[in-house]
Amino acid sequence: GKMAIMSEQLEAITQHKDEGNALYQQQEFAQAIKAYTAGTRLLPDLEEDEAGHVPPSAELRKLAAIVLCNRAASFMHEKKAVAALADAQRAADFDATNWKAHWRTGLALMMMEPRLERSEKAVAAFSRTLECDSLPALERENARQALSRAQYRLREGRDALDMPDMAACSVSDATATGIPIVAALHPRPAPWLNGQCI
């Protein structure tokens, strides 16, 4: 019946997610994106719910957010901020309790050319990150720093290149292998994305 179809769907998405995660860990980001994309093709469309569709289960929503979040991280490594932003925002729609959805929404916005509206949205995204109960204590400082950078950008209303170099006050990400987390605005590859797959 319906339950069997549901669990088959969950299983298939999970398989694509696991494949994507393995590729992500090997830093094969383009390949990881392909694997995650295969998983996202199986996701329900949230917009269809009004048309009398059965809304997706909590389990499916959580899984959908994870796959989208992980693809967003991969897109960031590929310097594709627009695609990353779309995935992170969609992930937050599926599961507002997933802190990484809000975190990556903010990071993607901060990767883009500074604009008032983007800075405002980044401030909101990092604020939501800090409101998430699921945010690990060790990540709070990173989220607070990111929020203050977004607020700084909003206040200054000028390019991020005027930002002080944040590499000096980096904190290490306990979930990664002690890789320092630097400003979301650093021109170097993004070390804060390491070890962030679920």
Side-chain angles (χ1 to χ4, degrees):
K2 248 185 198 163
M3 289 312 289
I5 295 166
M6 281 294 290
S7 68
E8 257 172 54
Q9 185 185 21
L10 284 168
E11 240 166 79
I13 297 167
T14 302
Q15 214 170 336
H16 292 303
K17 171 182 74 84
D18 293 345
E19 188 194 336
N21 287 2
L23 289 159
Y24 182 99
Q25 298 300 343
Q26 291 157 22
Q27 308 209 337
E28 300 280 352
F29 302 115
Q31 293 306 112
I33 288 165
K34 282 184 186 158
Y36 294 135
T37 299
T40 63
R41 289 206 183 103
L42 303 173
L43 298 180
D45 191 354
L46 284 173
E47 278 68 58
E48 284 177 12
D49 289 353
E50 289 93 64
H53 286 258
V54 181
S57 68
E59 199 180 355
L60 182 53
R61 292 180 82 113
K62 273 196 170 2
L63 181 60
I66 291 167
V67 175
L68 288 162
C69 256
N70 291 0
R71 190 171 70 168
S74 305
F75 277 133
M76 282 186 198
H77 277 288
E78 297 283 287
K79 307 276 189 290
K80 293 179 177 164
V82 176
L85 178 62
D87 274 359
Q89 287 177 325
R90 197 171 154 215
D93 289 339
F94 270 108
D95 180 12
T97 69
N98 185 322
W99 68 271
K100 288 180 185 178
H102 306 299
W103 173 239
R104 296 207 173 119
T105 296
L107 291 181
L109 286 159
M110 295 293 274
M111 282 172 79
M112 296 176 183
E113 207 53 43
R115 287 207 193 125
L116 189 66
E117 188 196 6
R118 285 176 188 158
S119 298
E120 283 172 349
K121 284 181 176 168
V123 167
F126 291 134
S127 301
R128 281 196 295 273
T129 305
L130 284 162
E131 284 161 18
C132 280
D133 292 334
S134 60
L135 179 69
L138 289 157
E139 297 286 350
R140 294 200 74 78
E141 189 47 40
N142 300 331
R144 269 198 293 270
Q145 283 187 25
L147 176 60
S148 64
R149 282 194 284 277
Q151 287 166 333
Y152 175 91
R153 186 187 271 194
L154 185 58
R155 268 199 317 274
E156 297 301 310
R158 62 170 196 253
D159 197 306
L161 299 175
D162 295 340
M163 291 280 311
D165 181 13
M166 291 284 176
C169 57
S170 61
V171 281
S172 66
D173 171 4
T175 59
T177 50
I179 297 153
I181 295 199
V182 224
L185 305 166
H186 237 264
R188 289 203 299 272
W192 67 88
L193 293 171
N194 285 313
Q196 290 276 4
C197 261
I198 298 182

